[in-house]
């Protein structure tokens, strides 16, 4: 069997259209536009490239966007001051502090300082807690994107055996909470594998839906995939490639060429989950703006 390749860009453009319509409605109702401010500290090339993608997507759907760029020597106090200023700025609907932060900064303290009503990343403990309790306000964009993609592909998640590889706060943990909930695109039986898992392949081979979010290439090999499974690859790593002009290529966590001969459907990297992450961030920004306007 050769798997159907799930086109993330196609689903993402559908979401973009929905957000653009929502932004137009917001604009006519409140005579202003939703705004996203991204805070980017340091010079991690991948982060700079992600942030550019977010800026471009905001511009396309009519969301005002600003990126505050600071060098890697920024202090914790300076960063907290920036966040405080954004919390108090009514033109800012959503705040996103791009992760990872340079090592000397306390990531958790910065996330905790963000106004939970502007936390479009869904990482503040209040939003993470609400999601765990089945009362989501803002869920992180990547898990939302994975779920939306599965819904759009008509994958029956109700009672499905889902195995997630990776327990990060940005993906594995919140995705577990999302897929465990009752409702459309969820109500699944979720297993989470991590570095403490004894026999990873035995777990992943039970999966109807296998979600790779370990963060390193080759984390999921074709023998770990159940024939006919749906495989979602959240990983994005840069690997050296001298045949490319920029000197690297992007690769996921899954050995794509082998896995696509076993799975029934699979996401590519790039062009799979990545575009969905950005679109669901836009959804969160619009939601934050609407919540603020209706209060
Ligand atoms: N770095 C990689 N992905 C993300 C994300 O979704 N949000 C933030 N804040 N940083 C990231």
């Amino acid at each position: 069997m050769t798997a159907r390749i799930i086109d993330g860009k196609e689903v993402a453009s559908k979401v973009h259209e929905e957000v653009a319509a929502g932004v137009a409605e917001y604009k006519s109702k409140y005579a202003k536009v939703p705004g996203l401010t991204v805070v980017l500290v340091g010079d991690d090339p991948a982060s700079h490239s992600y942030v550019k993608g977010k800026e471009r997507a905001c511009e396309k759907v009519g969301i005002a966007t600003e990126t505050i760029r600071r060098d890697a020597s920024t202090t914790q106090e300076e960063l907290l001051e920036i966040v405080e200023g954004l919390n108090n700025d009514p033109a800012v609907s959503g705040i996103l502090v791009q992760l990872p932060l340079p090592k000397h900064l306390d990531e958790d303290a910065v996330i905790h300082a963000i106004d939970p009503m502007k936390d479009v990343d869904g990482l503040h403990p209040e939003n993470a807690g609400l999601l765990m309790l089945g009362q989501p306000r803002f869920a992180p964009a990547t898990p939302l994107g994975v779920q939306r993609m599965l819904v759009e592909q008509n994958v029956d998640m109700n009672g499905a055996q889902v195995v997630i590889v990776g327990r990060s706060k940005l993906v594995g943990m919140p995705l577990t909470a999302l897929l465990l909930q009752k409702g459309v695109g969820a109500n699944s039986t979720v297993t989470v594998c991590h570095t403490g898992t004894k026999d990873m392949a035995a777990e992943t081979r039970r999966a109807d839906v296998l979600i790779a979010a370990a963060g390193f290439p080759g984390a999921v090999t074709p023998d770990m995939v159940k024939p006919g499974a749906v495989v979602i690859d959240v990983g994005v790593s840069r690997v050296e490639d001298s045949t490319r002009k920029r000197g690297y290529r992007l690769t996921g966590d899954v050995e794509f060429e082998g896995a696509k001969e076993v799975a029934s459907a699979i996401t590519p990297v790039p062009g799979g989950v990545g575009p969905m992450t950005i679109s669901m961030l836009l959804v969160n920004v619009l939601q934050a703006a609407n919540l603020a306007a209706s209060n």
Side-chain angles (χ1 to χ4, degrees), residues 39 47 50 54 95-100 111 121 123 140-143 170-171 277 281:
V39 183
S47 290
Y50 292 146
K54 288 168 188 171
I95 302 168
L96 185 144
V97 177
Q98 184 68 27
L99 304 176
I111 290 166
D121 245 345
L123 295 176
T142 302
L170 271 166
V171 185
T277 294
L281 171 66

Side-chain angles (χ1 to χ4, degrees), residues 90-152:
V92 176
S93 323
I95 302 168
L96 185 144
V97 177
Q98 184 68 27
L99 304 176
L101 288 171
K103 290 274 176 290
H104 68 281
L105 296 169
D106 181 346
E107 206 163 274
D108 287 337
V110 174
I111 290 166
H112 294 195
I114 296 172
D115 178 346
M117 297 305 287
K118 296 189 177 190
D119 168 39
V120 288
D121 245 345
L123 295 176
H124 188 283
E126 189 175 308
N127 291 317
L130 285 169
L131 176 61
M132 271 313 284
L133 294 169
Q135 305 152 31
R137 181 198 282 145
F138 299 118
T142 302
L144 282 177
V146 168
Q147 186 185 39
R148 177 71 192 257
M149 203 172 210
L150 290 164
V151 169
E152 293 288 338

Side-chain angles (χ1 to χ4, degrees), residues 134-252:
Q135 305 152 31
R137 181 198 282 145
F138 299 118
T142 302
L144 282 177
V146 168
Q147 186 185 39
R148 177 71 192 257
M149 203 172 210
L150 290 164
V151 169
E152 293 288 338
Q153 295 295 312
N154 295 315
V155 177
D156 186 7
M157 297 303 285
N158 187 17
Q161 291 281 354
V162 175
V163 176
I164 300 172
V165 180
R167 58 177 157 188
S168 67
K169 68 181 174 198
L170 271 166
V171 185
M173 292 282 200
L175 186 54
T176 301
L178 264 183
L179 298 180
L180 277 177
Q181 290 173 26
K182 289 186 179 167
V184 178
N187 208 30
S188 310
T189 302
V190 184
T191 303
V192 184
C193 296
H194 45 78
T195 47
T197 300
K198 294 235 162 60
D199 186 349
M200 183 92 74
E203 303 293 343
T204 60
R205 276 198 290 263
R206 291 188 300 103
D208 302 319
V209 178
L210 176 57
I211 301 170
F216 64 93
V220 171
T221 49
D223 59 299
M224 294 167 74
V225 179
K226 178 167 96 171
V230 174
V231 177
I232 306 291
D233 193 348
V234 181
V236 192
S237 303
R238 290 180 173 205
V239 294
E240 247 179 69
D241 185 343
S242 56
T243 69
R244 306 285 174 104
K245 212 165 81 187
R246 57 188 181 182
Y248 69 88
R249 68 189 149 82
L250 297 179
T251 185

Side-chain angles (χ1 to χ4, degrees), residues 32-66:
K32 55 185 180 180
V33 293
L36 169 70
T37 299
V38 176
V39 183
L40 176 57
V41 184
D43 43 23
D44 177 56
S47 290
H48 277 260
S49 146
Y50 292 146
V51 168
K52 280 222 178 74
K54 288 168 188 171
E55 288 172 334
R56 271 198 292 266
C58 282
E59 281 157 18
K60 270 194 202 148
V61 299
I63 291 175
T65 177
E66 186 200 5

